[in-house]
Amino acid sequence: MSKGPGLFIDIGQKAKDLLNKEYTADQKFTVSTYTGAGVALTSTALKKGGLSTGDIAALYKYKNTQFDVKVDTDSNISTTLTFTEILPSIKTIASFKVPDYNSGKLEIQYFHDHATFTTTVGLNQTPGVDVTATIGTPTIAFGAEAGYDTTSGNFTKYTTGISVTKPDSCSSIILGDKGDSIKASYVHYLDQLKKSAAVGEISRRFSTNENTFTVGGAYAVDHLTLIKAKLNNHGRLGALLQHEVVPKSLLTVSGELDTKALDKSPRFGLALALKP
């Protein structure tokens, strides 16, 4: 693939990951292993509130093809096929779920040194179509996306964004929800490995005049331990501690507290991911 501007979904993704990824209020246990044939197997058990669920996933790669299938405790079977470089600079992704036969999707991604394009089409009788385009370089990129409902003939969404990426920082502005919201974010890395960082994000919804400002960060205590925290202007405080207990295996403890409603109990989450 090319070294171009990346996909539209990548705009603002680094700030989103710092503020949301790995934060959880659930209990999750994951075990991964590999078979002799090269199949990666992952078993997951999740307890969310009073509901417990689980799934088993298998991932197999052969040359330019990746096959991913997941079976959960509700008897749903999700399958994703990814083909890379069937044609130059093109990736094709087909996905579907059984027994929901209307969930099938086909996505085609095209990568160029100065642009990327994606098209996603639903594989059903009334397919929706999503299109994204990004132009620029790895340093600065402009992008847009649109969703179209072929049944009603209406646009379901349209979004535009810009991102600026430097060796020690990245920033983005996204105008979304059909022009009803705007979000700006900035991430500054504090070390060369980009494990320690500070992040700020401000969003506004014009229809409700609601503003949300969130600050957060991540700090690598050492090569095995990471601490993250975040706080927004609505008083939501979150923190997590992640430690590599054995190589590639992570234990994550996280919590969230509403500082404007201290009478409410804080929420805690625990995740353990074991890998060979």
Side-chain angles (χ1 to χ4, degrees), residues 1-273:
M1 294 299 176
S2 71
K3 298 180 180 180
L7 300 175
F8 178 79
I9 195 174
D10 297 329
I11 296 179
Q13 189 64 43
K14 291 182 175 61
K16 183 178 179 180
D17 286 346
L18 273 171
L19 293 174
N20 298 284
K21 191 176 181 180
E22 293 151 349
Y23 286 96
T24 180
D26 310 318
Q27 289 76 51
K28 185 177 182 180
F29 179 63
T30 303
V31 178
S32 300
T33 187
Y34 292 92
T35 68
V39 179
L41 297 175
T42 303
S43 300
T44 302
L46 175 67
K47 184 177 182 181
K48 188 172 184 177
L51 181 64
S52 296
T53 60
D55 62 65
I56 298 177
L59 176 65
Y60 179 68
K61 296 180 180 180
Y62 178 74
K63 294 184 178 180
N64 293 336
T65 303
Q66 178 175 296
F67 180 77
D68 189 355
V69 61
K70 180 185 293 185
V71 182
D72 64 28
T73 51
D74 293 326
S75 300
N76 296 309
I77 303 176
S78 304
T79 303
T80 302
L81 294 172
T82 304
F83 305 94
T84 304
E85 297 283 354
I86 294 181
L87 296 174
S89 303
I90 290 180
K91 177 186 287 187
T92 303
I93 303 171
S95 61
F96 58 92
K97 180 185 290 186
V98 177
D100 184 6
Y101 299 100
N102 292 320
S103 64
K105 290 184 179 181
L106 177 64
E107 180 179 358
I108 297 176
Q109 301 176 350
Y110 173 73
F111 298 85
H112 185 271
D113 288 343
H114 300 292
T116 61
F117 303 94
T118 71
T119 301
T120 305
V121 181
L123 302 178
N124 51 59
Q125 294 181 348
T126 56
V129 180
D130 291 338
V131 179
T132 74
T134 308
I135 60 174
T137 67
T139 301
I140 183 169
F142 304 85
E145 72 168 347
Y148 182 75
D149 187 341
T150 58
T151 303
S152 63
N154 296 323
F155 284 98
T156 57
K157 63 180 177 180
Y158 37 85
T159 307
T160 60
I162 179 176
S163 68
V164 178
T165 303
K166 297 181 179 180
D168 61 350
S169 66
C170 59
S171 56
S172 67
I173 299 176
I174 299 175
L175 181 65
D177 298 312
K178 298 182 179 180
D180 185 48
S181 68
I182 188 170
K183 180 185 295 184
S185 63
Y186 177 77
V187 177
H188 188 83
Y189 296 105
L190 305 176
D191 60 0
Q192 292 184 346
L193 297 178
K194 297 185 177 181
K195 288 188 174 182
S196 298
V199 57
E201 180 184 86
I202 184 169
S203 62
R204 177 176 174 81
R205 185 169 294 275
F206 299 108
S207 60
T208 60
N209 289 323
E210 180 182 1
N211 298 312
T212 301
F213 179 64
T214 308
V215 295
Y219 175 68
V221 179
D222 51 40
H223 68 286
L224 299 176
T225 307
L226 180 71
I227 297 174
K228 293 175 66 176
K230 62 179 180 178
L231 175 68
N232 67 21
N233 60 310
H234 301 300
R236 308 291 291 189
L237 173 66
L240 72 80
L241 171 67
Q242 186 176 81
H243 181 70
E244 187 175 358
V245 290
V246 293
K248 299 181 182 180
S249 297
L250 299 174
L251 172 66
T252 305
V253 181
S254 61
E256 185 178 273
L257 173 68
D258 188 346
T259 61
K260 295 185 178 181
L262 296 178
D263 55 319
K264 295 182 179 180
S265 300
R267 300 192 304 167
F268 295 99
L270 177 68
L272 178 62

